[in-house]
Amino acid sequence: MAKKNINEMSFLDHLEDLRWHLIRIVVGVMVCATGAFLAKSFIFDFLIFGPSKANFVTYEVLCNLATRLGLSESFCFEELPFEIQSRKLSGQFSAHIWTSITAGFVISFPYVLYELWRFISPALHDNERKHSRGFIFIASFLFFVGVLFGYYIICPLSINFLGSYQVSQQVHNDIDLSDYIGLIRASVIASGLIFELPIIIYILTRIGLVTPEFLKKYRKYALVLVLVLSAIITPPDITSQIVVAVPILILYEVSIYISKIVVRNQKRKEKRNNIPKA
């Protein structure tokens, strides 16, 4: 059956259309999750447990950098002083299932955006669709950059600090598998979504909820918010917080520039439309 024109669709028709888009999103995520489930050795031994090993690339880079600068060599070690264990009968199986679903979402993120775009795009004008070309690619690129940032920066900083922190030499860190994976999942997904800030600002500016002047006016409050956010998702040391805060602040400044471009284009369009025809 041919799809109805958007102007002819009722509210229930829109809900039905959204339902099928959501079903396709779930199917896409589950297909990718199935692939991740079958690639158990790669997902867990290489990716999940990578930051728990002393030869992880981030530790090696930070160790070399700290050695050259003559700073503390807290990232130069042969082994992290903790063990990962599962204390529940179904712990490892549950971790396998939920990690596969998370990996499926990350892998299928461009397809998720594609389905959402297919649902939204019919409501846009032709010129709006034209100016929104590349949305899926740019949003996916930012998301994957954020995921990599969370995996290679936030995860090792957090794992190294929390895994080696001790209140007493009598207490040994035996970390539960679900807590360890939860930290990685939260760091990776949160970073991926945070890196979508320019896209979010673009959309908010387009619909008139945000302006460049508003972003500039509250820049100092944004700085405080970024520092608080950095303190939440990283260990409580200045170096780690700066490493996380700098990219987010750069994204904020980029968002201001994007907001300026959107407003400037809107003013040009309004000016062009107000010119009387000869």
Side-chain angles (χ1 to χ4, degrees), residues 21 37 67 73 75 85 100 110 112 116 137 139 145 161 168-169 176 203 224 229 235 253 255 264 275:
H21 284 293
F37 185 87
T67 302
E73 298 183 4
F75 290 97
Q85 58 182 339
S100 299
V112 173
L116 293 176
F137 173 79
V145 170
F161 177 82
S168 172
Q169 294 294 328
D176 191 73
I203 295 173
V224 174
L229 180 63
E253 295 299 324
S255 300
R264 184 171 65 226
I275 297 177

Side-chain angles (χ1 to χ4, degrees), residues 26-244:
V26 172
V27 171
V29 171
M30 295 310 299
V31 168
C32 294
T34 301
F37 185 87
L38 297 176
K40 180 176 65 174
S41 297
F42 174 78
I43 294 293
F44 281 91
D45 295 337
F46 181 76
L47 293 180
I48 298 297
F49 296 125
S52 68
K53 300 174 183 177
N55 61 352
F56 190 63
V57 60
T58 303
Y59 300 138
E60 293 183 348
V61 171
L62 292 176
C63 177
N64 293 333
L65 183 61
T67 302
R68 292 179 181 180
L69 296 177
L71 302 175
S72 172
E73 298 183 4
S74 59
F75 290 97
C76 298
F77 47 83
E78 296 182 358
E79 185 179 5
L80 284 167
F82 65 84
E83 294 181 1
I84 301 173
Q85 58 182 339
S86 178
R87 301 182 181 182
K88 296 181 180 179
L89 184 62
S90 61
Q92 295 196 52
F93 181 72
S94 296
H96 191 188
I97 293 293
W98 287 108
T99 300
S100 299
I101 293 175
T102 302
F105 171 76
V106 172
I107 296 170
S108 64
F109 187 77
Y111 179 73
V112 173
L113 289 180
Y114 171 71
E115 286 294 338
L116 293 176
W117 176 250
R118 286 185 60 195
F119 175 73
I120 297 172
S121 60
L124 302 177
H125 297 294
D126 291 338
N127 61 331
E128 291 177 327
R129 282 194 290 268
K130 181 180 178 181
H131 287 101
S132 299
R133 289 176 181 174
F135 163 77
I136 296 175
F137 173 79
I138 296 173
S140 300
F141 175 76
L142 290 173
F143 178 77
F144 288 130
V145 170
V147 166
L148 293 175
F149 179 80
Y151 180 73
Y152 283 105
I153 302 298
I154 297 179
C155 284
L157 290 175
S158 301
I159 291 171
N160 177 58
F161 177 82
L162 297 174
S164 60
Y165 187 84
Q166 289 181 296
V167 295
S168 172
Q169 294 294 328
Q170 301 181 46
V171 182
H172 179 70
N173 285 330
D174 291 325
I175 301 175
D176 191 73
L177 177 64
S178 61
D179 289 340
Y180 176 84
I181 294 178
L183 184 147
I184 293 181
R185 178 173 57 243
S187 300
V188 167
I189 298 298
S191 298
L193 296 179
I194 288 173
F195 271 64
E196 294 293 319
L197 181 61
I199 299 295
I200 296 173
I201 295 298
Y202 172 82
I203 295 173
L204 293 179
T205 304
R206 290 280 298 180
I207 62 179
L209 294 180
V210 168
T211 63
E213 291 72 22
F214 174 85
L215 296 174
K216 290 179 181 178
K217 179 180 178 181
Y218 291 97
R219 181 189 274 119
K220 57 183 178 181
Y221 300 105
L223 174 60
V224 174
L225 181 62
V226 167
L227 292 176
V228 172
L229 180 63
S230 301
I232 293 174
I233 64 179
T234 61
D237 63 272
I238 299 299
T239 304
S240 300
Q241 292 178 21
I242 291 176
V243 168
V244 174

